[in-house]
Amino acid sequence: MSPELHINLANLKSNIKFFQRIIKTNTELSAVVKSDAYGLGIAKIVPEIERYGVRSFFTATISEAIKIRSYSRDCEIFTLNGFDFLKSNLYREHNITPIINNILEAQKFIEIFNQTQKVAIQLNTGMNRLGLDKQSLLENIDIVKSLPLTLILSHLACADDTSNKENKAQKDLFIKLCKFLPNIRQSISASHGTLLGTEFHFDMVRPGIGLYGGIRNNGLKEVIQIKVPVLQDFIIDKNMQVGYNFTYKAKHKMRVATLAMGYADGLPRTLSNIGKLFYGNIPCPIIGRISMDLVTVDISNLPKTPRYLCVFSPEYQVDDFAKDCKTISHEVLVNLGERVSRVYSK
């Protein structure tokens, strides 16, 4: 037996509709589907998102983009990690739009494609991760203007902090730099940026984690639930110990359950002795160390031994779980292992 990742496609639809409602008129809603649609599975997720009018997708790499193309013949697909010019034939063959991140990539693109292939460009407005900064853009403006650009984008570093002044600073710089490249679509916002308000929407927004239920927001619904099967239950007495290195000692007689999920499946060891699984809304504390394939929990407060426990509850969502793991929702989703089977429901 292994854990199951239950993916609620009705709630995915609801989240798509939410973003479509809040964005400005004439702003396009695209979707970020890198890392196998954040671990949810592109084979099911990409066609499902397309059903509701989304026509542009973002991946990290050309190999991811080619996989997306196999499930969508006509959509626009961008590769965020740049133009892999050593594989330039694949962009034309599969109709993929690379995002230029530096002048070398721009020069190689012109050399290989001239005006025969669409391309996008990323501007570095302060995150200092990818893209052309102001100096690089202006020093090479003739090269950049010779590109057949279909989109200019940037990325907000602090969009999850709504009060951070850097959001406005990045937006203002983006507007300033885009004036050197007029009449081209513009995009600066992913999920959190889209939630900052219409002044951040421009021509396109690029939500990812928000579509998949990884942000706590009154308008967004939970898309996933992980059901973990119980393999065994037993009684331990006071002072008996549990798990590797006996990091847990029972303070009283208790019922313990062993479940089929461990750190190989995406349940971090950092939750050992501090995390919890759920029976409905009833928390069942994790006791002892989480091992590669198994986790032990205290089920003393349950009326009976259940067939499975859940990782989330209505009051304890993906974002809460991520905070307890001292990480973010994105990492939680993409770290769910291959043994966690995907189950889709409407």
Side-chain angles (χ1 to χ4, degrees), residues 255-267:
R255 180 174 292 277
V256 176
T258 302
L259 293 95
M261 188 174 188
Y263 59 77
D265 306 297
L267 188 66

Side-chain angles (χ1 to χ4, degrees), residues 270-318:
T270 54
L271 293 181
S272 299
N273 291 307
I274 60 171
K276 50 190 173 289
L277 299 181
F278 287 89
Y279 179 76
N281 283 325
I282 304 173
C284 301
I286 293 173
I287 59 174
R289 282 193 177 156
I290 295 169
S291 53
M292 183 180 291
D293 316 302
L294 303 169
V295 61
T296 44
V297 302
D298 177 6
I299 59 169
S300 302
N301 291 331
L302 301 187
K304 61 179 182 178
T305 300
R307 290 188 300 109
Y308 63 85
L309 295 178
C310 293
V311 174
F312 312 116
S313 80
E315 286 77 38
Y316 187 80
Q317 300 179 9
V318 180

